[in-house]
Amino acid sequence: MAEVVRLEEVAKVYTMGEEKVEALRGVSFSVAPGEFVSIMGASGSGKSTCMNILGCLDVPTSGAYLLDGVNVGELSGNQLAEVRNKKLGFVFQGFNLLARTTARENVELPLVYAQVPAGRRRALAQEALARVGLAGREGHFPNQLSGGQQQRVAIARALVNQPSIILADEPTGNLDSTTTVEIMGIFQELNRQGITIVMVTHEPEVAAFTGRQIVFRDGLIVSDTRSDRATRPGSGEGEGS
């Protein structure tokens, strides 16, 4: 089976004045289609740098990053922008929704950049919102939605271009424990539908929802474990249902 992601001896060194900081020190791992992976570690462990490289927001100092078999380091700036728009879906801690724009219009944004016709954009956005349980809320503005519902809109926006992989950076960091369980349940359902997800989190109880946990320390991977016994959400109804 082809890999969605492969990192080969990836190192990242930042220069701060006369000091060099090794954020990553030769990291190698791959992600197969349909995996749900969490990347964990304390502040300064290298997990955020790794996520930035996976998201084509930063480039390795050395080593190689292959996305769908393509060496990202060999792409031009325009090509990288196209990769971010068409192959990657992003979900952030802070939702990053436009305040004066409806849920549907927020979800349509990646399609606008991809120059998808308006009618097709609308249909795809409504379909993505329905997948995350927000059918009927398309016309709501962010301030009319709960935190959990806003994150659902953000997940729908990440889905709408049918990316190769969804990258989620602390997606439950601004949510209470009940809503966290709901959002992780959505990620699990999307993963069961075949979507590949890589998520950064510092919370073990959130990582427990994923089928694989990669732990970073001091720029290195210290453990990489798989489990077929990921935490499952309860069956109760909650916020945003």
Side-chain angles (χ1 to χ4, degrees), residues 64-84:
Y65 167 34
L66 283 75
L67 176 63
D68 278 345
V70 175
N71 189 334
V72 172
E74 297 175 354
L75 301 181
S76 68
N78 287 338
Q79 288 172 321
L80 284 172
E82 186 173 3
V83 164
R84 285 192 293 269

Side-chain angles (χ1 to χ4, degrees), residues 91-163:
V91 181
F92 300 99
Q93 178 175 336
F95 315 144
N96 290 3
L97 302 179
L98 299 180
R100 298 183 181 180
T101 303
T102 65
R104 177 179 57 79
E105 291 166 337
N106 268 288
V107 174
E108 284 185 24
L109 280 175
L111 302 173
V112 173
Y113 298 137
Q115 299 181 322
V116 174
R120 179 65 174 156
R121 289 200 310 264
R122 183 185 184 95
L124 288 171
Q126 291 185 173
E127 178 185 332
L129 285 165
R131 289 181 74 180
V132 299
L134 287 181
R137 306 287 178 94
E138 297 91 347
H140 286 58
F141 291 90
N143 65 1
Q144 297 173 312
L145 300 171
S146 69
Q149 289 168 339
Q150 290 183 59
Q151 192 61 295
R152 290 181 190 221
V153 174
I155 294 169
R157 182 182 58 196
L159 283 172
V160 76
N161 257 348
Q162 298 182 314

Side-chain angles (χ1 to χ4, degrees), residues 5-217:
V5 159
R6 173 174 282 277
L7 270 64
E8 299 176 345
E9 293 295 322
V10 166
K12 182 65 183 182
V13 179
Y14 295 103
T15 302
M16 300 180 178
E18 297 181 357
E19 183 181 2
K20 292 187 181 297
V21 177
E22 292 183 285
L24 294 175
R25 299 190 288 156
V27 167
S28 299
F29 69 88
S30 61
V31 177
E35 281 200 277
F36 188 1
V37 181
S38 54
I39 295 178
M40 301 181 67
S43 178
S45 64
K47 66 182 188 300
S48 295
T49 299
C50 182
M51 180 62 92
N52 287 338
I53 289 172
L54 292 177
C56 299
L57 303 171
D58 204 349
V59 294
T61 303
S62 62
Y65 167 34
L66 283 75
L67 176 63
D68 278 345
V70 175
N71 189 334
V72 172
E74 297 175 354
L75 301 181
S76 68
N78 287 338
Q79 288 172 321
L80 284 172
E82 186 173 3
V83 164
R84 285 192 293 269
N85 184 247
K86 294 185 176 179
K87 286 186 174 289
L88 302 172
F90 296 93
V91 181
F92 300 99
Q93 178 175 336
F95 315 144
N96 290 3
L97 302 179
L98 299 180
R100 298 183 181 180
T101 303
T102 65
R104 177 179 57 79
E105 291 166 337
N106 268 288
V107 174
E108 284 185 24
L109 280 175
L111 302 173
V112 173
Y113 298 137
Q115 299 181 322
V116 174
R120 179 65 174 156
R121 289 200 310 264
R122 183 185 184 95
L124 288 171
Q126 291 185 173
E127 178 185 332
L129 285 165
R131 289 181 74 180
V132 299
L134 287 181
R137 306 287 178 94
E138 297 91 347
H140 286 58
F141 291 90
N143 65 1
Q144 297 173 312
L145 300 171
S146 69
Q149 289 168 339
Q150 290 183 59
Q151 192 61 295
R152 290 181 190 221
V153 174
I155 294 169
R157 182 182 58 196
L159 283 172
V160 76
N161 257 348
Q162 298 182 314
S164 299
I165 186 169
I166 288 180
L167 301 174
D169 191 356
E170 300 280 5
T172 62
N174 284 345
L175 305 176
D176 62 46
S177 58
T178 299
T179 311
T180 289
V181 171
E182 294 171 6
I183 292 300
M184 292 311 299
I186 289 172
F187 278 124
Q188 285 187 333
E189 177 57 31
L190 294 173
N191 180 244
R192 283 192 289 271
Q193 294 169 15
I195 295 172
T196 307
I197 304 171
V198 176
M199 176 185 70
V200 162
T201 182
H202 66 277
E203 301 177 81
E205 59 270 28
V206 172
F209 284 90
T210 71
R212 179 180 173 195
Q213 297 85 35
I214 301 175
V215 179
F216 279 68
R217 183 182 301 142

